[in-house]
C-alpha cells in the first residue's frame, strides 16, 4: 500500500477506477458530459500555423482531421491592414465530410465580437467561459479570437477561415482536439450556431431566432444591439422585448418543396403555431401566414391552420386591435380579441375566468385560459433574460463576467443608461435546457407598452448556440 500524502486521505482502488468515468452523465440525466469541466480526454492532436500569409478573399484551412473526437479549443491571431479581413471574414465548420458547412458565419459574430474597426473602438478585449478576443489600441491592426466550446465529430472535422478583405493578412492559429473518442455524447453530438443580423426591426415585431425539429441541448444566447447611427428615445427600448422558448411543442421546421403530414406543426415567421390540416407538398417559398386563430393558409398543396401558440402582441393604450389578436395579461392568462376596436387609455382589469370577457375601450377581450399553448420560458425583457436588469447600467464594459453571464461589448465603461451600444451573453451550463423533439426561440423587438419607441431603429445581432443529437 502506498503511503498517503500528509493531510490527504488514501483513495480506494474502486474509487480510482470510477474516477475515469465520473464525468459521464447518468442514464436519463439532463446534463451532458461534453460540457462538463471533467469531460474525458482522448489523444491530444494539434494543428499549428505560424506567419502564414493569406491572400485577399482567400480561404485557409486551419484544421482538417479524419477520425472521431471533439475540438477542445480554437485560437486565431491575425495581423491586418484592412479591418474587413475580420469584420466580414468568415468561419466555416464542416462535419463528417459534408460538402456544405453546417456553421458558416462572420468571424466577429461567431466569436461574440463585432465592431473591430478603430472608429468604433473600444471593442478591445473580453473573455467568458467559451469565447474571448483582444485587439491592440485604436489602430486595431493586430487581434486574436478564441473559443473553447467543444465541437464534436464522428468521422471528420474541417474548419476554414475566409479573409474578408482584398488585402493579404498574416495568420497564426492553433486548433486543439481530443481524438479517438466516439461521438456518442447525449444530446451534444453536433454543435450548431444560429446567427442573425436584424436591421431596423419593427417595434413589437416577433423575430424567430431558432426553429428546429431535433433532440439536443441549448448552450446559450448572445445579443448585441446598437442604436448608432440610428436613434431611439429613450435609448435601449429594444431591450424591453421578451424572449420566449418553446420546448418540444413543434415537430417540424418549414422548408420549401417538402412533404408535410396532417398534424405536423411549425412556428411561423410571426411567432404563431401552424398545424397541417391538409397534407401535401409545401411551395417554393414561404407563404403569407394567416395570423387569425383558426385561419387557414394555402402553401403549395398544403393547408395550414393557425392554432393556439404563444401570443405575440402586447397591450397598448389607445391602440386599434384587430379580431383574433392575442396578448398575455398580467395574470398570465391569454386574452384574445373577439370584438375589434380601439383600446382604452389605461389597461383594464382583465377577466381572470377562462371564457370571461373584458371591455377595453371599444375592444372586447375573451380569456382563453389554458387552451393557449404557452412558452416554457418567457422573459420579462431581453436584458432580464441575460440577468442584466436596467440595460446593464453600471456593469464594467467587456470585463464583467462570472463565466456564464456577462457583457462582451459596449461603447462606455461602465455601462450607463445613456450608453446605446451593448451586448450580453448567457450560457445554460449550470441551468441546462434540453429538448426531445423541437426547440423554437423567439424575440420580441421591444415592448412599447413599457418603453416608447419614438424614432429610429436599432441594429441587432443575435446568436443561439446549441447542440443536436
Amino acid at each position: 500500500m502506498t503511503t498517503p500524502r500528509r493531510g490527504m486521505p488514501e483513495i480506494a482502488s474502486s474509487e480510482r477506477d470510477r474516477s475515469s468515468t465520473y464525468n459521464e452523465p447518468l442514464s436519463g440525466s439532463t446534463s451532458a458530459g461534453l460540457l462538463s469541466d471533467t469531460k474525458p480526454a482522448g489523444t491530444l492532436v494539434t494543428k499549428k500555423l505560424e506567419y502564414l500569409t493569406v491572400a485577399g478573399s482567400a480561404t485557409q484551412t486551419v484544421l482538417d482531421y479524419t477520425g472521431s473526437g471533439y475540438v477542445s479549443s480554437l485560437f486565431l491571431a491575425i495581423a491586418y491592414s484592412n479591418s474587413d479581413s475580420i469584420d466580414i471574414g468568415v468561419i466555416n465548420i464542416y462535419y463528417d465530410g459534408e460538402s456544405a458547412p453546417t456553421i458558416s458565419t462572420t468571424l466577429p459574430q461567431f466569436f461574440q465580437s463585432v465592431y473591430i474597426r478603430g472608429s468604433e473602438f473600444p471593442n478591445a478585449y473580453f473573455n467568458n467561459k467559451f469565447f474571448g478576443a483582444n485587439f491592440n489600441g485604436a489602430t486595431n491592426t493586430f487581434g486574436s479570437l478564441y473559443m473553447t466550446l467543444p465541437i464534436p465529430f464522428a468521422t471528420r472535422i474541417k474548419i476554414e477561415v475566409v479573409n474578408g478583405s482584398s488585402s493579404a493578412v498574416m495568420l497564426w492559429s492553433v486548433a486543439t482536439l481530443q481524438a479517438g473518442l466516439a461521438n456518442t455524447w447525449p444530446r451534444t453530438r453536433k454543435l450548431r450556431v444560429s446567427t442573425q443580423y436584424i436591421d431596423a426591426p419593427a417595434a413589437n415585431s416577433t423575430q424567430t431566432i431558432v426553429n428546429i425539429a431535433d433532440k439536443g441541448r441549448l448552450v446559450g444566447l448572445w445579443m448585441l444591439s446598437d442604436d448608432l447611427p440610428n436613434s431611439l428615445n429613450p435609448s435601449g427600448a429594444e431591450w424591453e422585448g421578451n424572449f420566449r422558448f418553446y420546448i418540444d411543442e413543434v415537430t417540424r421546421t418549414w422548408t420549401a418543396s417538402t412533404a408535410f403530414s396532417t398534424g405536423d406543426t411549425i412556428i411561423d415567421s410571426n411567432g404563431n403555431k401552424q398545424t397541417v390540416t391538409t397534407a401535401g407538398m409545401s411551395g417554393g417559398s414561404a407563404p403569407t401566414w394567416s395570423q387569425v386563430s383558426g385561419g387557414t393558409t394555402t402553401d403549395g398543396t398544403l393547408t395550414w391552420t393557425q392554432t393556439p401558440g404563444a401570443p405575440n402582441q402586447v397591450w397598448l393604450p389607445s391602440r386599434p386591435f384587430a379580431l383574433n389578436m392575442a396578448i398575455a395579461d398580467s395574470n398570465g392568462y391569454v386574452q384574445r380579441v373577439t370584438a375589434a376596436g380601439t383600446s382604452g387609455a389605461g389597461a383594464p382589469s382583465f377577466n381572470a375566468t377562462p371564457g370571461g370577457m373584458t371591455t377595453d375601450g371599444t375592444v372586447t377581450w375573451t380569456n382563453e385560459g389554458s387552451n393557449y399553448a404557452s412558452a416554457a420560458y418567457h422573459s420579462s425583457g431581453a436584458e432580464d433574460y441575460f440577468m442584466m436588469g436596467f440595460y446593464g447600467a453600471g456593469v464594467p464594459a467587456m470585463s464583467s463576467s462570472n463565466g456564464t453571464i456577462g457583457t462582451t461589448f459596449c461603447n462606455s465603461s461602465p455601462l450607463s443608461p445613456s450608453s446605446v451600444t451593448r451586448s450580453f451573453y448567457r450560457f445554460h451550463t449550470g441551468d441546462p435546457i434540453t429538448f426531445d423533439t423541437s426547440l423554437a426561440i423567439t424575440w420580441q423587438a421591444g415592448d412599447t407598452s413599457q418603453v416608447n419607441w419614438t424614432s429610429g431603429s436599432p441594429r441587432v445581432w443575435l446568436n443561439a448556440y446549441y447542440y443536436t443529437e
Side-chain angles (χ1 to χ4, degrees):
M1 177 182 293
T2 58
T3 302
R5 287 177 290 169
R6 180 176 298 175
M8 297 293 292
E10 181 183 8
I11 300 175
S13 174
S14 59
E15 293 181 35
R16 287 196 297 268
D17 293 342
R18 287 199 304 269
S19 68
S20 63
T21 56
Y22 174 77
N23 49 71
E24 295 294 337
L26 298 175
S27 176
S29 171
T30 58
S31 64
L34 189 64
L35 291 179
S36 168
D37 290 335
T38 55
K39 54 185 170 290
T43 301
L44 180 66
V45 176
T46 63
K47 180 173 182 180
K48 179 182 71 171
L49 300 174
E50 288 188 294
Y51 297 97
L52 178 69
T53 299
V54 181
S57 304
T59 297
Q60 176 62 49
T61 299
V62 296
L63 176 65
D64 191 349
Y65 178 82
T66 298
S68 62
Y70 64 91
V71 177
S72 56
S73 65
L74 176 65
F75 167 78
L76 304 173
I78 304 174
Y80 53 90
S81 59
N82 184 338
S83 60
D84 282 348
S85 300
I86 296 179
D87 275 352
I88 58 176
V90 171
I91 182 169
N92 294 322
I93 300 179
Y94 302 78
Y95 295 112
D96 305 326
E98 60 190 4
S99 58
T102 292
I103 297 174
S104 181
T105 188
T106 62
L107 286 167
Q109 183 159 357
F110 179 79
F111 288 96
Q112 302 183 351
S113 176
V114 299
Y115 295 148
I116 307 301
R117 302 173 190 273
S119 62
E120 288 156 328
F121 196 70
N123 194 14
Y125 64 90
F126 75 86
N127 66 281
N128 56 41
K129 184 176 179 64
F130 295 119
F131 296 93
N134 64 277
F135 294 87
N136 68 305
T139 57
N140 287 308
T141 54
F142 298 93
S144 66
L145 303 160
Y146 76 81
M147 69 165 288
T148 59
L149 189 61
I151 307 174
F153 55 96
T155 60
R156 184 182 176 189
I157 186 70
K158 180 180 178 181
I159 301 177
E160 298 174 339
V161 173
V162 182
N163 184 353
S165 79
S166 58
S167 305
V169 300
M170 191 74 73
L171 174 69
W172 295 256
S173 71
V174 179
T176 305
L177 59 89
Q178 300 291 334
L181 299 170
N183 186 6
T184 57
W185 310 101
R187 300 183 183 272
T188 52
R189 294 177 187 168
K190 180 179 283 191
L191 174 66
R192 298 176 183 267
V193 184
S194 171
T195 60
Q196 294 192 34
Y197 168 57
I198 307 169
D199 190 11
N204 301 314
S205 63
T206 295
Q207 309 289 328
T208 299
I209 310 308
V210 174
N211 185 358
I212 61 167
D214 216 321
K215 180 178 181 179
R217 176 176 177 175
L218 178 68
V219 178
L221 303 182
W222 168 83
M223 176 179 177
L224 182 145
S225 181
D226 172 32
D227 300 346
L228 293 174
N230 302 305
S231 173
L232 284 179
N233 185 18
S235 173
E238 69 277 11
W239 288 99
E240 288 297 337
N242 295 318
F243 283 107
R244 295 186 176 101
F245 295 179
Y246 307 92
I247 299 172
D248 298 335
E249 288 192 9
V250 179
T251 58
R252 296 291 300 273
T253 299
W254 187 90
T255 52
S257 304
T258 301
F260 287 86
S261 301
T262 301
D264 284 348
T265 58
I266 65 168
I267 289 181
D268 67 22
S269 55
N270 302 306
N272 291 320
K273 184 184 289 187
Q274 300 284 347
T275 302
V276 174
T277 49
T278 301
M281 187 78 66
S282 60
S285 59
T288 300
W289 299 103
S290 172
Q291 297 186 58
V292 177
S293 178
T296 59
T297 299
T298 300
D299 170 27
T301 59
L302 290 169
T303 299
W304 298 90
T305 298
Q306 204 267 30
T307 51
N312 63 351
Q313 307 293 327
V314 293
W315 186 90
L316 297 170
S318 304
R319 157 81 180 268
F321 282 90
L323 189 67
N324 287 308
M325 282 187 172
I327 65 169
D329 68 20
S330 58
N331 301 310
Y333 292 104
V334 172
Q335 303 284 347
R336 185 175 295 279
V337 175
T338 50
T342 301
S343 60
S349 296
F350 284 104
N351 192 312
T353 302
M357 294 185 291
T358 301
T359 299
D360 170 26
T362 59
V363 178
T364 298
W365 300 92
T366 298
N367 185 321
E368 293 199 341
S370 60
N371 293 328
Y372 209 104
S374 62
Y377 176 88
H378 186 168
S379 72
S380 62
E383 92 276 33
D384 295 338
Y385 162 75
F386 294 107
M387 299 188 177
M388 293 286 169
F390 304 104
Y391 313 147
V395 174
M398 297 175 291
S399 60
S400 177
S401 173
N402 67 359
T404 59
I405 296 170
T407 181
T408 56
F409 175 76
C410 69
N411 67 348
S412 69
S413 184
L415 281 166
S416 66
S418 62
S419 175
V420 290
T421 303
R422 67 199 72 202
S423 68
F424 304 128
Y425 60 86
R426 177 176 176 181
F427 298 122
H428 291 281
T429 53
D431 55 341
I433 295 178
T434 62
F435 49 96
D436 290 322
T437 62
S438 66
L439 173 67
I441 302 174
T442 64
W443 171 67
Q444 176 187 326
D447 180 347
T448 51
S449 68
Q450 302 294 322
V451 174
N452 291 329
W453 190 307
T454 58
S455 64
S457 296
R459 296 175 294 184
V460 176
W461 288 260
L462 273 162
N463 286 2
Y465 303 88
Y466 60 96
Y467 289 95
T468 59
E469 186 168 311

